Amino acid sequence: MSSTLTISKIITEFGNYYLNSGQNKQRLIRAMVQPSVTLEQYARHLRVEETVYRMANYSFGSVIQPFSTTFNPISSIEFFPNEIRLAEMKLNASIVPHDIEASYLGFLAGDETRTIKEWPVVRWLFEEYFAKQIAADRENSMVYKGKKTVGGTQPSHCMDGIKELLVQGVSADYAIQQISGVGALAAATIFDQIETFDKAIPELYQQRPDVVIFMAPKWVRAYKEAKRSKGYYQIQSDSQIDAVIDFSGHKVVGLPSMVGTDDMFATVQNNLLWLTKREGNLSNASVQLNHYSVDVMLDWWEGLGFACNQEVWVSSETVASENSASGSASASASASASASASASASAAGA
């Protein structure tokens, strides 16, 4: 079993001994670690006991008809199953605390008053490494890009992420709505493309300010840059340029979990559900002494899903590569809006 701690370069540079020169945790510095954003800010967190969370969606039929003396019932309600399956995942780590005792990192070692499990290096790993890396793995690999893979070993293999939910959802009986006519995202046309997408969202939702359109952060920046370049906004600085879509009050949001993608989807606030069972709380981790190794074990369940698929809209391009056969539930954008995007692209290239 390999140790989590690799200090060979420290030993090579600083020597295999501990010399107290006032070093402490403030001298242990690393670059920023991606925090959790998608779930913490844009999902409703539910703590559950079951591993399959079941709900039901429903639709109404019309009830009003012209009067006649003949009884003619036309009302109807149809129910659709909706479930979120949680996936079990774990954290396993093994360290040999003695490895750091005769090194520059010796200030993280313990003394005769503490057991090996209680050495400062163990606490430091919990606070600095495990807590931050769980959030980073979740955001970078699981939340959007994850795909449940039997026998997998990577964070992205743990559970189905939002992209997979979108791909599966457009083929469901109670379907996520596709929006066509947007085209592949490009900086030259992003302003018109976002407006094209937004205008295809049903009018019932057009004045709801809680509708959010999600994409990679680079596309939000491109959208704001396009706003600045239009020339008909009276602005004094870039701080006055927001990500709100004109006339609807909807906004675009860049998610770190979507970095590297050209995808776009929208939903209402709190429609994305994040379910956890035991929720990966590090205070529940098992810390065991195995000879001179300290082994850390933690397991938990979590999963994602939409409470209501029909309050989710996705560009056809987002699901096309993995779901080219789907499409009966498309909500097509207007041809005039698509033509506007093409015209802008031509003007930009002129």
Side-chain angles (χ1 to χ4, degrees):
M1 181 181 294
S2 61
S3 173
T4 297
L5 300 172
T6 302
I7 63 169
S8 56
K9 293 181 180 179
I10 290 290
I11 295 294
T12 299
E13 186 69 22
F14 294 159
N16 60 341
Y17 53 84
Y18 175 58
L19 178 64
N20 187 345
S21 57
Q23 63 266 48
N24 53 39
K25 289 188 289 186
Q26 279 66 48
R27 296 197 195 181
L28 303 179
I29 304 165
R30 64 150 293 154
M32 180 178 177
V33 179
Q34 175 63 58
S36 178
V37 174
T38 303
L39 299 183
E40 298 293 341
Q41 297 185 23
Y42 299 103
R44 182 153 45 111
H45 189 186
L46 302 179
R47 294 167 177 85
V48 300
E49 292 302 320
E50 57 266 63
T51 58
V52 178
Y53 185 79
R54 287 178 170 161
M55 301 168 285
N57 298 133
Y58 57 90
S59 64
F60 292 147
S62 297
V63 295
I64 298 178
Q65 60 180 309
F67 176 79
S68 71
T69 57
T70 302
F71 182 70
N72 180 32
I74 63 169
S75 59
S76 65
I77 302 175
E78 185 173 6
F79 292 91
F80 303 88
N82 183 11
E83 70 176 23
I84 300 175
R85 291 186 172 270
L86 283 73
E88 191 172 17
M89 53 199 74
K90 66 177 182 176
L91 179 157
N92 288 170
S94 181
I95 65 172
V96 181
H98 285 87
D99 287 347
I100 57 100
E101 191 167 17
S103 77
Y104 171 84
L105 301 171
F107 67 92
L108 289 173
D111 54 35
E112 66 276 1
T113 67
R114 311 184 192 195
T115 66
I116 298 175
K117 293 193 299 182
E118 296 168 334
W119 279 20
V121 67
V122 177
R123 174 173 291 190
W124 182 83
L125 286 171
F126 268 76
E127 295 174 349
E128 183 65 21
Y129 177 31
F130 298 148
K132 292 183 178 180
Q133 196 59 43
I134 286 174
D137 286 347
R138 185 181 281 129
E139 187 72 24
N140 293 333
S141 304
M142 287 170 46
V143 172
Y144 189 79
K145 301 165 187 171
K147 189 168 184 177
K148 176 69 174 173
T149 304
V150 176
T153 58
Q154 302 302 312
S156 60
H157 299 155
C158 289
M159 70 177 191
D160 287 342
I162 295 171
K163 175 65 174 276
E164 189 65 17
L165 298 178
L166 296 171
V167 170
Q168 295 174 6
V170 295
S171 301
D173 289 334
Y174 197 76
I176 288 172
Q177 304 300 296
Q178 288 189 63
I179 293 176
S180 61
V182 175
L185 299 186
T189 55
I190 188 65
F191 187 90
D192 292 306
Q193 288 177 304
I194 289 176
E195 286 202 335
T196 295
F197 182 91
D198 187 62
K199 283 190 281 189
I201 294 173
E203 288 194 46
L204 182 64
Y205 290 87
Q206 281 296 317
Q207 298 306 314
R208 282 189 58 170
D210 59 346
V211 173
V212 184
I213 300 176
F214 296 103
M215 60 197 70
K218 76 169 186 177
W219 294 119
V220 178
R221 176 167 181 160
Y223 176 68
K224 289 182 176 180
E225 289 173 345
K227 266 192 169 185
R228 180 180 61 184
S229 69
K230 287 295 181 182
Y232 41 73
Y233 291 96
Q234 301 300 315
I235 59 172
Q236 303 300 317
S237 72
D238 65 319
S239 64
Q240 295 175 277
I241 303 175
D242 58 29
V244 175
I245 300 171
D246 295 342
F247 313 118
S248 71
H250 301 164
K251 65 179 179 179
V252 292
V253 167
L255 295 179
S257 60
M258 296 180 71
V259 165
T261 75
D262 298 331
D263 298 347
M264 177 162 40
F265 78 96
T267 189
V268 298
Q269 285 276 20
N270 294 323
N271 192 37
L272 177 63
L273 303 182
W274 173 32
L275 275 57
T276 57
K277 175 178 165 65
R278 298 200 305 270
E279 70 181 271
N281 192 327
L282 284 168
S283 64
N284 296 328
S286 173
V287 183
Q288 300 180 4
L289 184 62
N290 181 15
H291 298 296
Y292 287 101
S293 297
V294 174
D295 297 339
V296 180
M297 294 172 287
L298 178 66
D299 61 273
W300 70 96
W301 297 73
E302 62 182 274
L304 294 175
F306 293 108
C308 181
N309 271 356
Q310 291 199 347
E311 291 194 326
V312 183
W313 304 272
V314 61
S315 69
S316 293
E317 289 76 16
T318 297
V319 295
S321 60
E322 297 185 48
N323 196 33
S324 58
S326 69
S328 60
S330 292
S332 295
S334 66
S336 61
S338 180
S340 173
S342 299
S344 293
S346 298

